[in-house]
């Protein structure tokens, strides 16, 4: 891991693992790692992510309520420089010629977290951790990854992120 690298967690770093390969009862170590790391010098996330999780009203919501306060997440909308970058990103996405209007609307309004993650990471030089993939050829979706790439934002998936943190989930007897 490069010195002083900061990771910015996307919502799907919480939702996908809970639903697929790190359920709370099978892999509590993943969740303990997030509890111990998020909000520190190396691992961050946004209030938009927190709010998205809170809207779920499920076991992930319960875990998040027990583990964090909203104030441990970054409220980037109050940062004038990040807001300026957000406006630049919104302008870029609105001008994409090969995307359907509903794809643009989904990216900027329905999935409102994505442009803020890109803006925060772009301005502060952070690495986004996400499960998203490029969908450059799709007319129906604006890909978070493609926008990251356009703005020079580094991104990685969960497993490389875990390796950077030197995570080990060991089976106990």
């Amino acid at each position: 891991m490069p010195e002083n690298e900061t990771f910015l967690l996307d919502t799907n770093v919480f939702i996908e693992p809970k639903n697929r390969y790190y359920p709370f009862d099978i892999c509590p170590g993943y969740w303990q790692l997030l509890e111990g790391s998020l909000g520190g010098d190396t691992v961050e996330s946004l209030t938009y992510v927190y709010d998205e999780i809170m809207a779920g009203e499920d076991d992930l919501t319960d875990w998040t309520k027990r583990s964090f306060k909203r104030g441990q997440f970054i409220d980037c909308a109050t940062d004038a420089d990040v807001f300026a970058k957000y406006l630049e990103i919104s302008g870029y996405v609105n001008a994409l010629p090969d995307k359907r209007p509903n794809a643009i609307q989904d990216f900027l309004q329905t999935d409102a977290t994505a442009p803020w993650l890109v803006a925060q990471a772009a301005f502060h030089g952070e690495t986004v951790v996400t499960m998203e993939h490029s969908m450059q050829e799709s007319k129906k979706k604006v890909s978070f990854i493609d926008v990251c790439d356009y703005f020079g934002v580094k991104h990685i998936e969960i497993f490389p992120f875990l390796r950077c943190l030197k995570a080990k989930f060991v089976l106990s007897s």
Side-chain angles (χ1 to χ4, degrees), residues 116-133:
W116 286 106
L117 283 165
V118 179
Q120 172 73 20
F123 184 76
H124 290 286
E126 297 165 329
T127 300
V128 174
V129 183
T130 186
M131 300 300 297
E132 291 269 340
H133 294 90

Side-chain angles (χ1 to χ4, degrees), residues 64-97:
T64 304
K65 282 179 188 175
R66 284 191 313 274
S67 303
F68 304 104
K69 293 185 178 1
R70 190 173 189 269
Q72 289 175 269
F73 291 70
I74 298 168
D75 183 5
C76 64
T78 62
D79 182 327
D81 294 319
V82 172
F83 184 71
K85 184 58 81 172
Y86 169 82
L87 293 176
E88 183 182 345
I89 291 162
S90 296
Y92 165 75
V93 171
N94 271 313
L96 288 171

Side-chain angles (χ1 to χ4, degrees), residues 96-104 106 135-143:
L96 288 171
D98 58 337
K99 300 296 181 183
R100 294 183 180 166
N102 62 333
I104 291 168
D106 284 350
M135 298 185 75
Q136 206 164 19
E137 302 304 316
S138 173
K139 293 185 182 314
K140 297 179 182 180
K141 182 161 174 51
V142 175
S143 168

Side-chain angles (χ1 to χ4, degrees), residues 6-149:
T6 302
F7 298 98
L8 188 63
L9 306 183
D10 186 8
T11 310
N12 62 23
V13 171
F14 298 92
I15 294 171
E16 286 288 317
K18 178 206 58 118
N19 290 339
R20 298 183 67 198
Y21 41 82
Y22 292 146
F24 292 106
D25 61 330
I26 294 174
C27 193
Y30 178 78
W31 304 99
Q32 291 164 356
L33 176 75
L34 291 181
E35 284 173 5
S37 302
L38 186 61
D41 294 338
T42 309
V43 181
E44 302 174 337
S45 196
L46 303 181
T47 54
Y48 291 99
V49 169
Y50 181 88
D51 294 344
E52 222 175 309
I53 293 170
M54 289 299 112
E57 298 184 16
D58 59 7
D59 53 346
L60 178 59
T61 306
D62 295 339
W63 172 81
T64 304
K65 282 179 188 175
R66 284 191 313 274
S67 303
F68 304 104
K69 293 185 178 1
R70 190 173 189 269
Q72 289 175 269
F73 291 70
I74 298 168
D75 183 5
C76 64
T78 62
D79 182 327
D81 294 319
V82 172
F83 184 71
K85 184 58 81 172
Y86 169 82
L87 293 176
E88 183 182 345
I89 291 162
S90 296
Y92 165 75
V93 171
N94 271 313
L96 288 171
D98 58 337
K99 300 296 181 183
R100 294 183 180 166
N102 62 333
I104 291 168
Q105 182 179 356
D106 284 350
F107 184 83
L108 295 174
Q109 294 172 6
T110 307
D111 184 23
T113 302
W116 286 106
L117 283 165
V118 179
Q120 172 73 20
F123 184 76
H124 290 286
E126 297 165 329
T127 300
V128 174
V129 183
T130 186
M131 300 300 297
E132 291 269 340
H133 294 90
S134 174
M135 298 185 75
Q136 206 164 19
E137 302 304 316
S138 173
K139 293 185 182 314
K140 297 179 182 180
K141 182 161 174 51
V142 175
S143 168
F144 172 56
I145 292 300
D146 297 331
V147 177
C148 282
D149 288 344

